[in-house]
Amino acid sequence: MAPGGTLARAFGVSAGAVAAALIAVIVSSRASSSPSIVDVPDHLPAPPASALWVPKPVALHRSAAVAYWASVRSAVPGRAWPSRRAEIVAPLATKTPEDTTNIVLVVGRTRDRAGRLWVHVRLPVLPNDRTAWVPRSALGVYGAVHTHLIIDLERLTATLLRNGSAIFRAPIGVGRPEWPTPKGNFYIRDRLARYRSAFYGPLAFGTSARSSVLTDWPGGGFIGLHGTDEPQLVPGRISHGCVRFRNRDILELGRLMQVGTPVTIR
């Protein structure tokens, strides 16, 4: 019995050791399968910046070198003064005769007695140089340009200014005496490159200027700036009122001048 007891006691000790070992393995296995605990920093990183960023509004500044324009968002009558009761000067449509978005040049702003904001704009109507007041709500956002095109009918030149300094100058063809290019203050109304005609060259600009006699502009009555298939006639008095450039010059002008640019024809 002594050997048997000794064996039992020996087995009991071994079983206890094995059990302890198994418990240690299980605990170790569970610990390894659980997420490890790491130190949490006192300060978390800042969240990423939002993709939507609205800049701080900037007031429109009066400057001879900067001009503002806006698209006509809804058809509206232009009025003689900033009031819904004022006489209608001319209607303003949302599209030009060339089917582009109609824009107007901004020349002033004010509020009426009710606090409604009105915008003083230059009109593309006859007689030339007319202006009118329209509700601000009828117009889109303002665009700004730093360019100004000067058409000199005596010297037969076109000069583009940027911030008051000349950056482009070219000879031009203008209207014949019986079809004169009108003088006055206007603006570039649209940019056109879809007319597949050598007569108009590779690029054309529509202006707010209108001829009171005749014009070869497709929309009828409006003065355009465009290229030509007869560059040998430039400079000269050669058109029905439009301003013609040599093709290389109109392309260069197109690279430098934006829609909304004021135009002075003198």
Side-chain angles (χ1 to χ4, degrees), residues 147 149 160 188 191 205 225 253-259 261:
T147 46
L149 184 66
L160 184 68
I188 298 297
R191 175 191 174 107
F205 291 96
L225 319 177
L253 183 62
R255 188 180 68 83
L256 299 171
M257 184 174 69
Q258 298 174 288
V259 169
T261 294

Side-chain angles (χ1 to χ4, degrees), residues 149-159 168-177 179-182 199 216 223-228 230-247 249-250 253 265:
L149 184 66
I150 309 296
I151 303 293
D152 193 321
L153 300 179
E154 294 299 321
R155 299 182 179 180
L156 299 177
T157 59
T159 303
F168 168 89
R169 184 174 286 109
I172 55 174
V174 299
R176 300 176 187 177
W179 304 309
T181 301
F199 180 80
D216 50 9
I223 300 300
L225 319 177
H226 59 80
T228 180
E230 296 182 300
Q232 71 279 4
L233 299 181
V234 177
R237 304 185 188 282
I238 57 175
S239 76
H240 288 162
C242 288
V243 179
R244 299 185 191 179
F245 291 77
R246 293 168 182 162
N247 288 345
D249 291 332
I250 195 68
L253 183 62
I265 302 179

